[in-house]
Amino acid sequence: MKVVILAGGLGTRLREETEYKPKPMVEIGGRPILWHIMKSYAHHGYMKFVLCLGYKGDVIRDYFLNYEIRNRDFTVTLGSGGIEIHNGHTEAGWRVTLAETGEKTLTGGRLKRVTPYLKGERFMVTYGDGVADIDIKDLVAFHEKHGKLGTVTAVHPSSRFGELSIDNGTVKVFQEKPQVHEGWINGGYFVFQPEVLDLILGDEESLEQGLLVKLASMRELMVYQHQGFWQCMDTYREVELLNDLWKGSNSPWAVWR
C-alpha cells in the first residue's frame, strides 16, 4: 500500500524556517520531519511513498536525488565523474515518487493530482508536518474491518499551557504542556479506498472541507481513535519542543530507534 504525504503547503506560521525551504524539510534532530514521518511508516512495513510537492518542492527533490551521497561514504573519480558508493543505510528499499502538485493547490486537489500513481489501489495519506506513535498496521486492520471508504485518525491535541493536579491547595502533579485527555481533532494518518478520488472535483478543493465532509455526509468515514503521542509542528515553539524530545531520547514517535 502506498503512503501519500502532503508536502506542498506554505507553512506561513513557521516563517522563521520556511522562508527558504518547505515545512516538511524543517529538521528534528538533524533530519527533516518528513524523514521522521517516512521512518515511522517504514517501520511498519510501508515503504512506497508519493510526495505531493508544491512550495519550494525542489528542496525536497534535491534531498532525495542526493540521498545516497548525503548518507553514505563514497569514492569519486575526478575527470570521469565516476562514483562508487560504500556501506549502507537503513532506508534501503524505500520507493519515493516526487509529484509536482502546484504551489497553490489545496490539499484535496493535491491528492487528486497523484491519482495516476495510486493505480486504483487502497492508499494512506498524512500531513508532512506531524508525528505520532500510531500503530500503522492496527490502523490499516481497523480500516479493512469496517469496510467504509475512509478512515481518519483522531488524536488528543497538546495543551498550550501547563497542567496542575491540585489537592487541598497542594500541587500533586505538574505537567508542562501535556496532551489533553478530552476532545478529539483530525490528526491525519488516513486510509482511503481508491473510489474517494472520484469525489474530489479539482485543485480548489481541500481535503478537510471537501472530501472529508462528503464522506461524513455519506456515512462513509470512520474514526480510528489514537490515545498515544501526537504532535504537529505549526510554530517555532513546536519545532523546539520536538527537538528537545529528540535530544532527550524521549521521542515516542521514533518507534524505529
Side-chain angles (χ1 to χ4, degrees):
M1 194 186 312
K2 291 182 179 177
V3 181
V4 178
I5 302 179
L6 299 168
L10 292 173
T12 53
R13 285 182 288 178
L14 197 54
R15 184 54 70 182
E16 304 98 321
E17 292 278 351
T18 59
E19 185 173 356
Y20 302 107
K21 58 188 171 186
K23 194 178 182 184
M25 295 302 291
V26 175
E27 293 187 352
I28 302 172
R31 298 272 196 167
I33 190 172
L34 176 61
W35 178 88
H36 288 259
I37 296 166
M38 296 169 76
K39 285 287 283 188
S40 66
Y41 277 100
H43 175 77
H44 292 283
Y46 300 98
M47 298 188 288
K48 295 180 180 179
F49 302 97
V50 179
L51 307 186
C52 297
L53 307 184
Y55 174 72
K56 297 194 179 299
D58 283 347
V59 177
I60 300 177
R61 288 188 185 90
D62 291 345
Y63 180 76
F64 286 102
L65 280 173
N66 295 297
Y67 196 86
E68 298 303 320
I69 60 173
R70 288 174 183 265
N71 293 279
R72 298 168 67 176
D73 297 342
F74 64 92
T75 300
V76 58
T77 301
L78 302 184
S80 70
I83 296 176
E84 180 185 358
I85 297 177
H86 311 293
N87 53 49
H89 54 66
T90 56
E91 293 74 59
W94 288 14
R95 186 171 176 83
V96 186
T97 298
L98 298 112
E100 177 57 51
T101 58
E103 188 165 317
K104 296 183 179 179
T105 307
L106 299 185
T107 47
R110 294 189 190 283
L111 189 53
K112 181 80 170 181
R113 286 206 186 191
V114 300
T115 299
Y117 304 114
L118 302 177
K119 299 181 179 179
E121 300 171 350
R122 180 189 300 137
F123 60 95
M124 290 185 277
V125 181
T126 198
Y127 301 108
D129 62 355
V131 290
D133 61 352
I134 293 168
D135 184 335
I136 304 297
K137 287 185 177 178
D138 191 58
L139 166 64
V140 171
F142 172 82
H143 176 82
E144 291 174 342
K145 185 176 181 180
H146 66 62
K148 300 287 187 177
L149 291 179
T151 298
V152 56
T153 297
V155 299
H156 294 302
S158 298
S159 172
R160 290 179 55 213
F161 307 99
E163 181 179 68
L164 298 176
S165 176
I166 301 173
D167 180 28
N168 239 3
T170 302
V171 176
K172 292 171 57 181
V173 177
F174 176 82
Q175 287 185 286
E176 178 63 12
K177 300 179 180 63
Q179 282 192 274
V180 176
H181 295 293
E182 296 180 6
W184 296 93
I185 64 169
N186 166 19
Y189 292 89
F190 306 95
V191 188
F192 290 123
Q193 295 300 114
E195 293 85 352
V196 304
L197 295 167
D198 295 330
L199 300 174
I200 303 171
L201 299 180
D203 286 358
E204 301 303 315
E205 184 169 321
S206 77
L207 178 63
E208 302 76 17
Q209 299 300 317
L211 179 60
L212 297 184
V213 172
K214 292 174 186 178
L215 290 176
S217 67
M218 295 165 59
R219 309 290 290 177
E220 286 288 339
L221 184 64
M222 297 293 285
V223 60
Y224 178 83
Q225 293 176 288
H226 175 60
Q227 297 282 359
F229 177 87
W230 175 88
Q231 180 62 56
C232 64
M233 190 186 67
D234 280 336
T235 66
Y236 189 69
R237 179 171 59 184
E238 289 164 343
V239 175
E240 291 182 316
L241 168 64
L242 289 169
N243 273 287
D244 287 345
L245 290 173
W246 181 267
K247 290 174 187 175
S249 298
N250 179 27
S251 45
W253 73 88
V255 291
W256 63 89
R257 288 182 95 176

